[in-house]
Amino acid sequence: MMWSLTAFLRVSLRVPWAKIRKQYFSSGINKRSLDIIERSAFFVTLDDEEQGMKGDDPVGNLDRYAKSILHGKCYDRWFDKSFSIVIYKNGKSGLNAEHSWADAPTVAHLWEYTLATDAFQLGYTEDGHCKGDVDRSLPLPQKLTWDIPSEVQAQVSVSLAVAQALADDVDCHVFPFREFGKGQIKKLRVSPDALIQIGLQLAYYRDRGGFCLTYEASMTRLFREGRTETVRSCSNESCAFVKALEAGEAGEQCRRLFRQASERHQNLYRMAMTGAGIDRHLFCLYVVSKYLGVDSPFLKEVLSEPWRLSTSQTPVQQMELFDLKNNPEFISLGGGFGPVADDGYGVSYIIVGEEMINFHVSSKHSCSETDSHRFGRQITKAMLDIMTVLSADAKPSSSSKSPTQSKKQL
């Protein structure tokens, strides 16, 4: 979940657990039960908690909902599986995906199709039961048996305590941004992703008083077995715009600098998608250097730089499956992830329809310099401030309402 904790986890959890596994799970009933789980396509958790977005504290409930899907109680998710479906006591659900086999678009595609099919095709009876006939040929569930001696129980307790401490440190905040969406952004002839990414730069500058190395995930699925490449979205152009806006420079100058930053971001994204990025090439060189036993101070330095702002967009790929106007309750919250630096933020966002953007923000409670809720407020303010600057240049018409006007009509 958090790359920055890999070395710590290896020492405190993985190495001792590997010894326990080799000693106690290599034969007998433990091996048979473990093999059944590891050969399965996915894992299902029937969670005894209730989660959801409504009630007396919808904001807090939404944060807890996301945090629960991310790590649960640390003993009721199987993180090594392709994905885990979490079903809560009150019928709410979520999905936790292991990242090595696929990237977010693949998982999102699967989950969109699953939810749409369940809601609009299969359906439920009035008393809450699944429609259709029961397939009597399916085998009945079988309880797995285990032999857990005291040595294993002791290591389980130690590992669980470490995992719970790591999970408790994660500060999750999920919020919908409803003031405007991609519809209004596109009317200004601006890339929605570029505006959001530049907004994140402005938010981070206000939150931390400077800029940082920023990671944005880009797909490389134009290539066979393509996965991702990094868009380094903190550019000279985005920094110039942020500094100009914060210095109170004239609106025309800020708009000019924003357009340059937006064009630069779109070009960086195109380069990443078409194999002209740098980070995967650098990583490949690092792997080769390790294989050849060559020590490269340059690679060591460039690959150790922290990504204090790690970002990703959850795509909505199958909008034809959802009628959001008539079924607004099916609006997707998107997905999120933990921070990749101990003193950084993880930000995921999903552009839903024409009028809404959902944000997931994560950080660590143990870092006194970060706060997910504070950063969420900075994101909202940055988006509104950028729209105000850009809208001032638009011709007065029904297509260029101010953020306040737009909010009243949503």
Side-chain angles (χ1 to χ4, degrees), residues 158-172:
V158 171
S159 298
L160 178 59
V162 173
Q164 286 176 330
L166 294 172
D168 290 344
D169 198 22
V170 178
D171 179 16
C172 272

PDB file of all heavy atoms in Angstrom, residues 158-172:
ATOM      1  N   VAL A 158       2.249 -10.406  16.719  1.00  0.00           N
ATOM      2  CA  VAL A 158       3.272  -9.371  16.471  1.00  0.00           C
ATOM      3  C   VAL A 158       3.011  -8.681  15.130  1.00  0.00           C
ATOM      4  O   VAL A 158       3.029  -7.443  15.026  1.00  0.00           O
ATOM      5  CB  VAL A 158       4.685  -9.989  16.492  1.00  0.00           C
ATOM      6  CG1 VAL A 158       5.719  -8.961  16.026  1.00  0.00           C
ATOM      7  CG2 VAL A 158       5.027 -10.488  17.888  1.00  0.00           C
ATOM      8  N   SER A 159       2.770  -9.482  14.091  1.00  0.00           N
ATOM      9  CA  SER A 159       2.538  -8.928  12.757  1.00  0.00           C
ATOM     10  C   SER A 159       1.277  -8.068  12.724  1.00  0.00           C
ATOM     11  O   SER A 159       1.241  -7.010  12.092  1.00  0.00           O
ATOM     12  CB  SER A 159       2.426 -10.059  11.734  1.00  0.00           C
ATOM     13  OG  SER A 159       3.626 -10.799  11.666  1.00  0.00           O
ATOM     14  N   LEU A 160       0.233  -8.534  13.407  1.00  0.00           N
ATOM     15  CA  LEU A 160      -1.020  -7.775  13.435  1.00  0.00           C
ATOM     16  C   LEU A 160      -0.832  -6.431  14.121  1.00  0.00           C
ATOM     17  O   LEU A 160      -1.353  -5.412  13.656  1.00  0.00           O
ATOM     18  CB  LEU A 160      -2.105  -8.579  14.147  1.00  0.00           C
ATOM     19  CG  LEU A 160      -3.466  -7.899  14.298  1.00  0.00           C
ATOM     20  CD1 LEU A 160      -4.050  -7.540  12.937  1.00  0.00           C
ATOM     21  CD2 LEU A 160      -4.429  -8.785  15.075  1.00  0.00           C
ATOM     22  N   ALA A 161      -0.077  -6.409  15.208  1.00  0.00           N
ATOM     23  CA  ALA A 161       0.160  -5.155  15.925  1.00  0.00           C
ATOM     24  C   ALA A 161       0.892  -4.147  15.040  1.00  0.00           C
ATOM     25  O   ALA A 161       0.560  -2.949  15.016  1.00  0.00           O
ATOM     26  CB  ALA A 161       0.962  -5.426  17.200  1.00  0.00           C
ATOM     27  N   VAL A 162       1.882  -4.628  14.282  1.00  0.00           N
ATOM     28  CA  VAL A 162       2.621  -3.742  13.379  1.00  0.00           C
ATOM     29  C   VAL A 162       1.704  -3.230  12.275  1.00  0.00           C
ATOM     30  O   VAL A 162       1.689  -2.032  11.960  1.00  0.00           O
ATOM     31  CB  VAL A 162       3.839  -4.478  12.771  1.00  0.00           C
ATOM     32  CG1 VAL A 162       4.509  -3.612  11.708  1.00  0.00           C
ATOM     33  CG2 VAL A 162       4.838  -4.847  13.853  1.00  0.00           C
ATOM     34  N   ALA A 163       0.922  -4.132  11.686  1.00  0.00           N
ATOM     35  CA  ALA A 163       0.024  -3.742  10.595  1.00  0.00           C
ATOM     36  C   ALA A 163      -1.025  -2.739  11.079  1.00  0.00           C
ATOM     37  O   ALA A 163      -1.341  -1.771  10.379  1.00  0.00           O
ATOM     38  CB  ALA A 163      -0.655  -4.981  10.011  1.00  0.00           C
ATOM     39  N   GLN A 164      -1.571  -2.953  12.270  1.00  0.00           N
ATOM     40  CA  GLN A 164      -2.584  -2.040  12.790  1.00  0.00           C
ATOM     41  C   GLN A 164      -2.005  -0.657  13.072  1.00  0.00           C
ATOM     42  O   GLN A 164      -2.674   0.366  12.850  1.00  0.00           O
ATOM     43  CB  GLN A 164      -3.219  -2.630  14.047  1.00  0.00           C
ATOM     44  CG  GLN A 164      -4.171  -3.785  13.759  1.00  0.00           C
ATOM     45  CD  GLN A 164      -4.731  -4.420  15.008  1.00  0.00           C
ATOM     46  OE1 GLN A 164      -4.083  -4.442  16.062  1.00  0.00           O
ATOM     47  NE2 GLN A 164      -5.932  -4.981  14.903  1.00  0.00           N
ATOM     48  N   ALA A 165      -0.761  -0.621  13.539  1.00  0.00           N
ATOM     49  CA  ALA A 165      -0.121   0.677  13.772  1.00  0.00           C
ATOM     50  C   ALA A 165       0.058   1.437  12.463  1.00  0.00           C
ATOM     51  O   ALA A 165      -0.159   2.652  12.396  1.00  0.00           O
ATOM     52  CB  ALA A 165       1.234   0.470  14.460  1.00  0.00           C
ATOM     53  N   LEU A 166       0.440   0.723  11.404  1.00  0.00           N
ATOM     54  CA  LEU A 166       0.590   1.352  10.096  1.00  0.00           C
ATOM     55  C   LEU A 166      -0.758   1.836   9.563  1.00  0.00           C
ATOM     56  O   LEU A 166      -0.870   2.937   9.026  1.00  0.00           O
ATOM     57  CB  LEU A 166       1.211   0.358   9.111  1.00  0.00           C
ATOM     58  CG  LEU A 166       2.647  -0.086   9.391  1.00  0.00           C
ATOM     59  CD1 LEU A 166       3.059  -1.205   8.442  1.00  0.00           C
ATOM     60  CD2 LEU A 166       3.607   1.087   9.258  1.00  0.00           C
ATOM     61  N   ALA A 167      -1.782   1.016   9.721  1.00  0.00           N
ATOM     62  CA  ALA A 167      -3.109   1.381   9.232  1.00  0.00           C
ATOM     63  C   ALA A 167      -3.691   2.563  10.001  1.00  0.00           C
ATOM     64  O   ALA A 167      -4.295   3.466   9.412  1.00  0.00           O
ATOM     65  CB  ALA A 167      -4.047   0.176   9.327  1.00  0.00           C
ATOM     66  N   ASP A 168      -3.497   2.567  11.319  1.00  0.00           N
ATOM     67  CA  ASP A 168      -4.023   3.665  12.138  1.00  0.00           C
ATOM     68  C   ASP A 168      -3.381   4.993  11.776  1.00  0.00           C
ATOM     69  O   ASP A 168      -3.954   6.062  12.024  1.00  0.00           O
ATOM     70  CB  ASP A 168      -3.792   3.370  13.625  1.00  0.00           C
ATOM     71  CG  ASP A 168      -4.664   2.241  14.139  1.00  0.00           C
ATOM     72  OD1 ASP A 168      -5.647   1.898  13.449  1.00  0.00           O
ATOM     73  OD2 ASP A 168      -4.357   1.697  15.211  1.00  0.00           O
ATOM     74  N   ASP A 169      -2.200   4.936  11.177  1.00  0.00           N
ATOM     75  CA  ASP A 169      -1.476   6.160  10.825  1.00  0.00           C
ATOM     76  C   ASP A 169      -2.000   6.805   9.547  1.00  0.00           C
ATOM     77  O   ASP A 169      -1.673   7.947   9.245  1.00  0.00           O
ATOM     78  CB  ASP A 169       0.020   5.846  10.667  1.00  0.00           C
ATOM     79  CG  ASP A 169       0.891   7.081  10.739  1.00  0.00           C
ATOM     80  OD1 ASP A 169       0.445   8.101  11.309  1.00  0.00           O
ATOM     81  OD2 ASP A 169       2.023   7.041  10.220  1.00  0.00           O
ATOM     82  N   VAL A 170      -2.804   6.076   8.790  1.00  0.00           N
ATOM     83  CA  VAL A 170      -3.304   6.601   7.518  1.00  0.00           C
ATOM     84  C   VAL A 170      -4.469   7.558   7.767  1.00  0.00           C
ATOM     85  O   VAL A 170      -5.443   7.213   8.433  1.00  0.00           O
ATOM     86  CB  VAL A 170      -3.756   5.457   6.589  1.00  0.00           C
ATOM     87  CG1 VAL A 170      -4.321   6.031   5.284  1.00  0.00           C
ATOM     88  CG2 VAL A 170      -2.599   4.521   6.287  1.00  0.00           C
ATOM     89  N   ASP A 171      -4.344   8.761   7.221  1.00  0.00           N
ATOM     90  CA  ASP A 171      -5.373   9.799   7.344  1.00  0.00           C
ATOM     91  C   ASP A 171      -6.088   9.916   5.994  1.00  0.00           C
ATOM     92  O   ASP A 171      -5.523  10.435   5.028  1.00  0.00           O
ATOM     93  CB  ASP A 171      -4.715  11.121   7.736  1.00  0.00           C
ATOM     94  CG  ASP A 171      -5.712  12.261   7.857  1.00  0.00           C
ATOM     95  OD1 ASP A 171      -6.925  11.992   7.933  1.00  0.00           O
ATOM     96  OD2 ASP A 171      -5.273  13.437   7.872  1.00  0.00           O
ATOM     97  N   CYS A 172      -7.311   9.405   5.908  1.00  0.00           N
ATOM     98  CA  CYS A 172      -8.091   9.398   4.654  1.00  0.00           C
ATOM     99  C   CYS A 172      -9.147  10.495   4.666  1.00  0.00           C
ATOM    100  O   CYS A 172      -9.852  10.655   5.657  1.00  0.00           O
ATOM    101  CB  CYS A 172      -8.788   8.044   4.463  1.00  0.00           C
ATOM    102  SG  CYS A 172      -7.806   6.818   3.615  1.00  0.00           S
TER     103      CYS A 172
END
